[in-house]
Amino acid sequence: MAKAEIIIKSIDELKLMRESALLVSKTLGEIAKIIGPGVTTQQINDLGDAFIRDHGAYPAFLGMYDFPKSLCISPNEQVVHGIPNDKPLQEGDIVSVDCGVYMNGFYGDHAYSFKIGEVSPEVEKLLKVTKESLYAGIRQFKKGNRLGDICHAIQIYNEKEGYGVVRELCGHGLGRDMHEEPQVPNYGRRGTGKVLKDGMVLAIEPMINMGTKRVKFHKDGWTVTSKDNSYSAHFEHDVTMIDGKPRLLSTFQYIYDALGIESDEEKEFLFDDAFVD
């Protein structure tokens, strides 16, 4: 069977995809307003589900491959695909919230790892480095580069800090399907893989463990944890290339507005600056 080809999007399609991605961003911003000690992951799931539906979209993860909830919510040692439940979050936890929507005929899909109250300096560093590695990878999504350049940048950024870069899970292409070609691992060799081109859309998502890179797949068919139960961080953006440069379809700004965080980390990747209407 021939391998599926990478689907290039037009500017008009990218504008629609940005609307889908931004609804995910706004949903994560709403979640940021309530997340904290004592809140359950089920409450977060219910808020996200209602917010997405109220905006005329569908929670993409619900029922996808039979997933039972609308958001993947993964505390502490859970890497990804955590199933929301009624256990309250506690001070010092971290929790990654991965959200997807289907709107305008396209999917949006990105994730953010939240602190629950005060966390230890070691956990604070894990979150900082993992998010910085996301942007290190995004910077390589440019004309003349190959997919492996993105993957390698994420890998070395984390491994220089001694963190475990998960191998069994990866990012992916995004569009009219949630999972399109190509797969985007968080490790790889520079100068290898597909040539990066304008109109590609990638969901780039470092999944980084404080300890071992090894993971455990649980019997519920979904939950993935670090093998040594060390904390795991997960950050994800939807990114395209326009005129040879990376441009964000998603944003963390709604989260930062809710949490009172000032940041200019996305300034160099702004989609609005990529073209003139």
Side-chain angles (χ1 to χ4, degrees):
M1 182 182 295
K3 289 192 69 174
E5 292 298 314
I6 296 171
I7 300 171
I8 301 297
K9 280 76 176 180
S10 68
I11 287 293
D12 286 341
E13 288 175 319
L14 291 174
K15 290 179 180 178
L16 291 173
M17 287 199 69
R18 185 171 187 246
E19 291 181 12
S20 299
L22 286 181
L23 181 53
V24 177
S25 305
K26 292 172 184 176
T27 304
L28 293 174
E30 286 298 301
I31 286 164
K33 295 175 182 178
I34 70 156
I35 200 165
V39 175
T40 70
T41 53
Q42 183 63 50
Q43 288 173 315
I44 296 169
N45 179 85
D46 293 346
L47 173 63
D49 180 280
F51 188 85
I52 291 166
R53 294 177 190 272
D54 286 348
H55 286 76
Y58 184 78
F61 295 166
L62 182 61
M64 183 172 284
Y65 313 122
D66 295 326
F67 189 71
K69 302 289 184 175
S70 297
L71 282 73
C72 296
I73 306 179
S74 308
N76 300 331
E77 76 278 3
Q78 293 185 19
V79 181
V80 286
H81 303 159
I83 301 173
N85 58 42
D86 292 324
K87 182 180 179 181
L89 296 169
Q90 299 181 2
E91 183 87 14
D93 287 346
I94 61 172
V95 62
S96 68
V97 181
D98 194 356
C99 178
V101 307
Y102 183 71
M103 188 173 86
N104 298 327
F106 290 96
Y107 285 93
D109 168 29
H110 70 108
Y112 190 88
S113 289
F114 293 88
K115 296 185 293 183
I116 306 302
E118 296 295 321
V119 300
S120 70
E122 293 79 13
V123 172
E124 188 87 55
K125 181 181 177 182
L126 172 70
L127 295 172
K128 179 177 181 288
V129 170
T130 302
K131 182 152 67 71
E132 288 174 349
S133 77
L134 169 60
Y135 293 111
I138 290 170
R139 288 188 185 96
Q140 298 302 313
F141 190 7
K142 61 184 180 180
K143 184 177 181 180
N145 275 8
R146 291 179 177 267
L147 187 63
D149 295 306
I150 297 174
C151 308
H152 179 77
I154 294 170
Q155 179 183 4
I156 61 170
Y157 202 95
N158 289 287
E159 288 186 344
K160 69 180 173 61
E161 301 294 342
Y163 296 147
V165 179
V166 174
R167 267 41 177 191
E168 292 88 347
L169 303 154
C170 64
H172 50 90
L174 186 71
R176 294 189 184 276
D177 291 314
M178 173 65 79
H179 298 109
E180 295 186 352
E181 289 295 319
Q183 292 190 348
V184 187
N186 293 307
Y187 66 98
R189 291 190 296 122
R190 286 180 292 185
T192 63
K194 296 285 188 179
V195 175
L196 302 174
K197 298 178 180 180
D198 279 356
M200 285 184 174
V201 178
L202 303 178
I204 302 174
E205 49 180 320
M207 290 160 274
I208 307 300
N209 298 340
M210 187 180 287
T212 181
K213 66 186 178 185
R214 298 175 64 200
V215 297
K216 177 181 178 181
F217 292 85
H218 288 248
K219 291 181 180 179
D220 62 16
W222 288 104
T223 308
V224 183
T225 59
S226 57
K227 190 76 170 179
D228 59 0
N229 290 321
S230 60
Y231 274 22
S232 185
H234 178 205
F235 291 91
E236 178 180 17
H237 266 314
D238 300 339
V239 194
T240 189
M241 187 200 295
I242 299 174
D243 294 334
K245 298 178 181 179
R247 300 293 180 178
L248 291 178
L249 301 176
S250 55
T251 180
F252 293 148
Q253 192 57 52
Y254 295 102
I255 296 170
Y256 296 158
D257 289 346
L259 298 178
I261 296 172
E262 293 187 8
S263 173
D264 63 356
E265 67 192 19
E266 298 178 0
K267 186 175 180 180
E268 63 188 285
F269 310 116
L270 292 180
F271 183 82
D272 288 340
D273 293 342
F275 59 90
V276 177
D277 286 321

